[in-house]
């Protein structure tokens, strides 16, 4: 059962704009991931999709389901909190693993140390 036809026009417009913004943020992060050369450079662009993209898509979901159910829908806030908390930890562990691998192999692709 699809409730999307019951969504008022103003809510559909706001939801669509937020979804489009989130999709564009995810696309920009994905393009950056493809265009960067080294692993250490590639760690940064996906954070755009996992931060701004997730926030905008969750906001669109909050608006849509709050209007459809006529009560606040804040389940998506938990998704944003968990993604915001776990993504930096994941990238930090990936970076440390890459540094360990490159130092063990004496690879010259390592970023310069301070």
């Amino acid at each position: 059962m699809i409730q999307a036809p019951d969504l008022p026009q103003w809510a559909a417009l706001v939801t669509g704009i937020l979804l489009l913004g989130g999709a564009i943020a995810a696309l920009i992060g994905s393009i950056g991931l493809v265009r960067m050369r080294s692993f250490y450079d590639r760690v940064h662009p996906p954070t755009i999709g996992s931060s701004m993209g997730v926030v905008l898509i969750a906001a669109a979901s909050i608006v849509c389901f709050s209007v459809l159910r006529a009560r606040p829908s804040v389940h998506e806030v938990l998704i944003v909190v968990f993604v915001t908390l776990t993504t930096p930890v994941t990238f930090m562990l990936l970076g440390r693993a890459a540094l360990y691998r490159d130092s063990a192999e004496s690879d010259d692709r390592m970023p310069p140390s301070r």
Side-chain angles (χ1 to χ4, degrees):
M1 181 156 107
I2 299 174
Q3 297 173 342
D6 298 334
L7 197 63
Q9 190 171 9
W10 67 268
L13 181 67
V14 170
T15 301
I17 289 171
L18 288 171
L19 276 177
L20 186 63
I24 289 172
L27 179 65
I28 290 171
S30 299
I31 290 172
L33 180 67
V34 171
R35 293 194 48 101
M36 296 293 165
R37 293 184 181 162
S38 72
F39 173 80
Y40 301 105
D41 293 335
R42 288 182 182 155
V43 171
H44 299 287
T47 58
I48 295 171
S50 66
S51 58
M52 184 184 295
V54 168
V55 168
L56 290 174
I57 291 171
S61 179
I62 288 172
V63 169
C64 178
F65 289 108
S66 293
V67 171
L68 285 176
R69 295 178 184 158
R71 60 184 164 99
S73 176
V74 292
H75 305 95
E76 295 83 358
V77 173
L78 286 176
I79 294 171
V80 171
V81 168
F82 289 137
V83 168
T84 303
L85 290 177
T86 57
T87 300
V89 174
T90 303
F91 286 122
M92 184 181 70
L93 292 175
L94 284 172
R96 284 186 179 182
L99 278 174
Y100 177 75
R101 180 197 63 203
D102 290 345
S103 66
E105 294 176 354
S106 299
D107 197 350
D108 59 346
R109 291 179 296 180
M110 289 179 51
S113 61
R114 292 183 185 186

